[in-house]
Amino acid sequence: MVEYILVVEDRLPIRRLFAEVLANAGYESKQVGSGDECLGYALSENKPSLILLDNNMPGICGLDVLQLLKNDGLAKDIPVIMVSGEEIEEQAKKQGAQSVLMKPFDIHELIDKVRTVYK
């Protein structure tokens, strides 16, 4: 099984930035633009080893996706780093997020948070 980070972000330029930063740090990633796509990958046979999950997306928001992930037997153990421009850290951690990355984010902070999860 190939380990990869699933980047869930509705805005394409930010998704591409995440992918580039992760690739430069030696991580493989896949990118999707919605919570529904995230759930599809997380519940598949080839599930991600980490999810970077944006909160503010059209349709199902990131916190709702997080709750669905953590309540599912197949996906509950996948670490999630929430990404948000709003203060959601307390709520996200109560729901099971490993960490929260605030937008606008620093590239080094992103990699530090990812490395902390992979320790």
Side-chain angles (χ1 to χ4, degrees):
M1 178 179 93
V2 175
E3 286 196 359
Y4 69 93
I5 298 169
L6 183 62
V7 175
V8 186
E9 167 63 58
D10 60 308
R11 297 189 323 223
L12 184 58
I14 296 175
R15 239 183 5 246
R16 287 182 176 160
L17 176 61
F18 274 120
E20 183 179 333
V21 169
L22 292 169
N24 287 340
Y27 297 102
E28 184 173 327
S29 68
K30 294 182 182 182
Q31 301 80 43
V32 296
S34 73
D36 289 328
E37 289 176 293
C38 172
L39 292 170
Y41 275 94
L43 302 176
S44 72
E45 189 173 305
N46 189 25
K47 63 185 179 182
S49 54
L50 171 66
I51 299 173
L52 289 175
L53 179 58
D54 184 38
N55 185 50
N56 191 12
M57 296 184 290
I60 186 169
C61 77
L63 286 171
D64 290 342
V65 172
L66 176 63
Q67 185 172 13
L68 291 169
L69 290 170
K70 295 305 176 183
N71 288 331
D72 187 279
L74 295 174
K76 68 181 180 184
D77 294 329
I78 303 171
V80 176
I81 297 174
M82 291 294 301
V83 181
S84 180
E86 304 165 357
E87 182 51 53
I88 62 162
E89 186 164 7
E90 185 176 332
Q91 185 177 1
K93 287 190 174 182
K94 280 182 184 176
Q95 288 182 220
Q98 189 86 15
S99 185
V100 176
L101 180 67
M102 293 297 295
K103 288 181 182 176
F105 63 90
D106 177 88
I107 292 169
H108 301 290
E109 182 184 7
L110 166 63
I111 297 305
D112 287 345
K113 287 184 181 286
V114 168
R115 286 185 177 140
T116 298
V117 170
Y118 276 122
K119 278 187 178 180

